Amino acid sequence: MFLQYKTHPNKNLRILEFLLTKEKILNMSVYQEFKKFALRGNVIDMAIGIVIGAAFGKIISSLVANIIMPPIGVITGGINFSDLGVTLKAATETSEAVVIKYGLFLNTIISFLIIGFTVFLLIRQINKLHKQKETKPKATPEEILLLREIRDSLKK
């Protein structure tokens, strides 16, 4: 025999309604949270950061390919890293060669390290500025100074 569960239909309906209501509440809170995030201006800041980051990435790629790698190639005996690779299958009349270009990979790793280090320095400077703002004591308002003088003169 199969196991049969005897449940009251209203109970299942109540559980289903509860689950649907809970899901609506969760979806609504996610929607409200996203709306709040989007309207704060962070989305625009993030978009500007992405555009600047893309341009910065191109600058770093050019720096690595045109300025850093040529001297490294001279030091290593004239090796052009972008040409380094392992040929797995030679080119034929009908197909191109299959090559693992690890030299380009090395260029990419160097670019990543430079970008990562630059971002680290940028974040470090931003954190220093935030600490300076936090540690800078605020000047005591004039009213407080006058009230202190009155208090001290009344004590005498």
Side-chain angles (χ1 to χ4, degrees), residues 56-152:
F56 185 68
K58 289 180 181 180
I59 291 169
I60 295 299
S61 295
S62 176
L63 173 74
V64 169
N66 301 321
I67 296 175
I68 294 175
M69 294 313 281
I72 291 175
V74 170
I75 292 170
T76 59
I79 297 173
N80 183 359
F81 281 88
S82 59
D83 292 338
L84 291 178
V86 175
T87 304
L88 298 177
K89 182 180 175 186
T92 62
E93 292 178 9
T94 59
S95 66
E96 295 182 18
V98 178
V99 180
I100 297 175
K101 297 181 178 183
Y102 64 88
L104 292 174
F105 181 69
L106 290 174
N107 283 350
T108 305
I109 289 174
I110 292 170
S111 296
F112 171 76
L113 292 174
I114 291 171
I115 291 171
F117 185 69
T118 305
V119 169
F120 166 74
L121 292 176
L122 179 69
I123 298 298
R124 187 173 170 214
Q125 290 296 27
I126 290 171
N127 288 339
K128 282 184 181 179
L129 290 174
H130 282 283
K131 285 181 183 177
Q132 287 176 354
K133 287 180 183 177
E134 291 173 3
T135 59
K136 185 178 178 182
K138 293 182 179 179
T140 308
E142 185 69 28
E143 297 86 20
I144 301 289
L145 294 175
L146 289 173
L147 288 171
R148 285 182 185 165
E149 279 183 38
I150 294 169
R151 180 195 63 198
D152 292 342

Side-chain angles (χ1 to χ4, degrees), residues 7-14:
T7 56
H8 193 275
N10 290 337
K11 183 178 179 184
N12 287 339
L13 185 60
R14 279 185 277 153

Side-chain angles (χ1 to χ4, degrees), residues 4-50:
Q4 293 181 355
Y5 293 100
K6 293 184 179 180
T7 56
H8 193 275
N10 290 337
K11 183 178 179 184
N12 287 339
L13 185 60
R14 279 185 277 153
I15 292 172
L16 183 62
E17 286 176 351
F18 171 75
L19 292 174
L20 289 174
T21 304
K22 185 175 180 182
E23 187 174 324
K24 284 180 184 177
I25 291 170
L26 288 175
N27 287 340
M28 196 58 140
S29 66
V30 171
Y31 170 73
Q32 293 294 334
E33 188 176 346
F34 177 74
K35 183 178 173 185
K36 190 171 153 184
F37 167 76
L39 294 179
R40 268 196 312 214
N42 289 346
V43 173
I44 294 171
D45 294 342
M46 186 174 60
I48 291 169
I50 289 170

